[in-house]
Each structure stands twice: as C-alpha cells, then as structure tokens.
Amino acid sequence: MNDWLDVGSLSDIPQRGARTVTRPGAPDIAVFRTADDRIFALVDRCPHKAGPLSQGIVHGHSVSCPLHNWNIALASGEAQGVDKGCTPTIAVKVESGRILLAIPAELAAAA
C-alpha cells in the first residue's frame, strides 16, 4: 500500500533540475523535472557507487551521476549503455500543479 506525499509545486523544481525529499529514517528521494515538464522520482542513489543522483545533470529523460557519469533512465531507474544496475523508482503524479509521491511501505520503514 502507498501513501501519497505532497512534496511541493511543479514550479519549485526548475526544468532539467531536481529536488531532494528527505524523510527521517528513510532513503532520500530525488524528484526530477525534465525540459518537457515530465516529473520522475528515484531513490537518490546511483546503483554504481551510491552517488547522489539529485546532483547530476538531467538530459532528456535521463540523469548522469555526478560521481562517475553513469546515465540512469528516469522512468525505469536502469543504468544505460554498458553499465548495469538499477535504482528504485517512486511513483509520482502531478495534480493541480502539486507533485505527489507514492511512498511504498517498505521505503517508508527503511532506515
């Protein structure tokens, strides 16, 4: 079961930018806005060396990890190209200009 969490308005995140959602006792979540105003959310850890994806460069529907330049697909969390690994995705929706994240119970309880 998911709980929807309001994390702010669409205008709070610049195009091709990110925002970090921090919750006590749970992994940080990176919320991304693409140039075409799509919103995606991933656990804020690259599958390679746990780099903070929220600090990476958003291009198209991907983000480049700031540590070793791995490209991660925003829709699936999968590493692209020859790199292998996956970052968990978080369901997201925009309603009336507000960004809502579906926080899975296992992430809400994770430390």
Side-chain angles (χ1 to χ4, degrees), residues 54-91:
S54 60
Q55 296 177 24
I57 296 172
V58 176
H59 47 93
H61 289 177
S62 299
V63 62
S64 295
C65 177
L67 295 184
H68 300 100
N69 208 33
W70 275 37
N71 289 318
I72 308 299
L74 294 172
S76 67
E78 290 283 338
Q80 299 178 0
V82 297
D83 299 322
K84 301 290 181 218
C86 188
T87 298
T89 60
I90 308 298

Side-chain angles (χ1 to χ4, degrees), residues 1-110:
M1 180 169 186
N2 295 326
D3 292 322
W4 289 97
L5 177 66
D6 185 323
V7 295
S9 72
L10 181 64
S11 63
D12 289 340
I13 304 174
Q15 287 182 318
R16 296 183 309 273
R19 177 179 179 211
T20 304
V21 176
T22 303
R23 298 165 302 118
D28 287 350
I29 297 172
V31 181
F32 301 92
R33 180 178 177 191
T34 62
D36 61 357
D37 287 330
R38 300 261 324 264
I39 299 292
F40 298 93
L42 301 171
V43 170
D44 195 20
R45 289 190 307 250
C46 177
H48 177 223
K49 298 269 184 176
L53 294 174
S54 60
Q55 296 177 24
I57 296 172
V58 176
H59 47 93
H61 289 177
S62 299
V63 62
S64 295
C65 177
L67 295 184
H68 300 100
N69 208 33
W70 275 37
N71 289 318
I72 308 299
L74 294 172
S76 67
E78 290 283 338
Q80 299 178 0
V82 297
D83 299 322
K84 301 290 181 218
C86 188
T87 298
T89 60
I90 308 298
V92 62
K93 63 183 176 180
V94 178
E95 289 184 350
S96 301
R98 304 294 298 174
I99 300 170
L100 303 170
L101 300 180
I103 306 298
E106 63 272 13
L107 285 181

